[in-house]
Amino acid sequence: MATVFKRPHALIDKSMHYCPGCTHGIIHRLIAEVLDELEIEGKTVGVSSVGCTYNNYEYFNCDMVQAAHGRAPAVATGIKRALPDNIVFTYQGDGDLAAIGTAEIVHAAARGEKITTIFVNNAIYGMTSGQMAPTTLIGQVTTTSPFGRKPETHGFPIKVCEMLSTLEGAVYLERVSVHDVKNIMNAKKAIKKAFQVQMANLGFSIVEVLSSCPTNWGMTPVDALGWIKDNMVPFYPLGNFKGKDLEV
């Protein structure tokens, strides 16, 4: 009987710790499939951030390094400069990348570091009980914005791809989502191209993935996917922000 579906070799056969309905697992699989298809697992180094995915080094079958909170791009820069023939990626959430790690991601992009960042945006701090994040939407209720995020009090959400696209060193930026099958397939294509951009030595690449957090949003997994579509996508439009026509 022909095999039509199997676990990617780059994804370790182990139960994940994520909450039911969390889409981190989907994103992990997409990365692993890309590593398999590009045949780069053996020379890839991933950098784990601090947040819900702090221990994702247990799931990827490639070398992984744990970084301090927000410092993944700095750690990845050091690895890539020391091992320029290796493929280096960071996996970061919105608190890690867009709050404590804002300086690191901005300057890594500005320098054109030849690394790839997978940025998971679920509009909330997931690991620390659902506080407001830099990407929390206007009006969104969290444990630290119980009456909804108010611009006059909390400021506006940060649109990472739009911000980084102004930097010359950032050569490929795309925002995708994983709320349905079509968008999951598009997400894989973007992740694959981001790695190919690095393999071609072209510069900094980032894929922002709109993701769900059913536990801290207080929703069922199905409703959480609908919330991405109805609320996050209108504010964080999907698509390519730079490097659409890059030859890789």
Side-chain angles (χ1 to χ4, degrees), residues 94-95 99 122-125 131-137 142 144 149 157-158:
D94 41 47
N122 60 13
I124 205 162
Y125 281 96
Q131 297 89 346
M132 187 185 72
T135 52
T136 297
L137 299 180
T142 73
T144 51
R149 180 173 189 159
I158 295 175

Side-chain angles (χ1 to χ4, degrees), residues 132 137-140 145-156:
M132 187 185 72
L137 299 180
I138 299 300
Q140 184 177 350
S145 58
F147 302 105
R149 180 173 189 159
K150 299 178 180 179
E152 63 273 18
T153 303
H154 309 112
F156 290 89

Side-chain angles (χ1 to χ4, degrees), residues 28-238:
H28 284 18
R29 182 183 175 92
L30 297 181
I31 294 171
E33 288 181 351
V34 167
L35 297 183
D36 281 7
E37 291 174 13
L38 295 177
E39 299 181 339
I40 56 174
E41 175 191 319
K43 63 175 184 177
T44 294
V45 182
V47 182
S48 301
S49 63
V50 172
C52 289
T53 62
Y54 74 97
N55 66 339
N56 65 3
Y57 47 78
E58 296 185 358
Y59 307 135
F60 289 111
N61 205 16
C62 62
D63 288 333
M64 298 290 293
V65 176
Q66 175 69 62
H69 201 181
R71 314 308 176 212
V75 173
T77 293
I79 296 170
K80 184 67 176 184
R81 291 193 179 192
L83 302 169
D85 294 331
N86 285 54
I87 304 302
V88 183
F89 76 94
T90 71
Y91 189 107
Q92 301 175 257
D94 41 47
D96 184 270
L97 181 144
I100 193 170
T102 313
E104 280 72 16
I105 197 66
V106 167
H107 289 286
R111 294 191 305 267
E113 299 294 346
K114 297 175 179 63
I115 62 175
T116 298
T117 289
I118 308 301
F119 167 44
V120 182
N121 176 2
N122 60 13
I124 205 162
Y125 281 96
M127 184 180 73
T128 52
S129 304
Q131 297 89 346
M132 187 185 72
T135 52
T136 297
L137 299 180
I138 299 300
Q140 184 177 350
V141 173
T142 73
T143 58
T144 51
S145 58
F147 302 105
R149 180 173 189 159
K150 299 178 180 179
E152 63 273 18
T153 303
H154 309 112
F156 290 89
I158 295 175
K159 294 183 175 181
V160 170
C161 278
E162 287 87 336
M163 176 176 67
L164 296 183
S165 66
T166 65
L167 304 175
E168 292 184 18
V171 299
Y172 178 69
L173 303 95
E174 186 134 356
R175 181 182 291 127
V176 296
S177 180
V178 288
H179 67 270
D180 59 26
V181 174
K182 177 183 177 181
N183 280 284
I184 289 170
M185 298 307 294
N186 288 338
K188 180 179 176 179
K189 292 177 183 178
I191 291 170
K192 188 171 186 176
K193 184 168 183 178
F195 277 102
Q196 289 173 319
V197 164
Q198 183 180 167
M199 294 168 68
N201 211 35
L202 297 178
F204 177 84
S205 58
I206 182 171
V207 177
E208 178 178 349
V209 187
L210 302 186
S211 182
S212 66
C213 185
T215 296
N216 288 300
W217 291 354
M219 301 179 186
T220 67
V222 173
D223 288 343
L225 296 177
W227 198 85
I228 295 175
K229 177 183 177 181
D230 296 337
N231 295 277
M232 292 190 71
V233 172
F235 187 83
Y236 295 110
L238 307 181

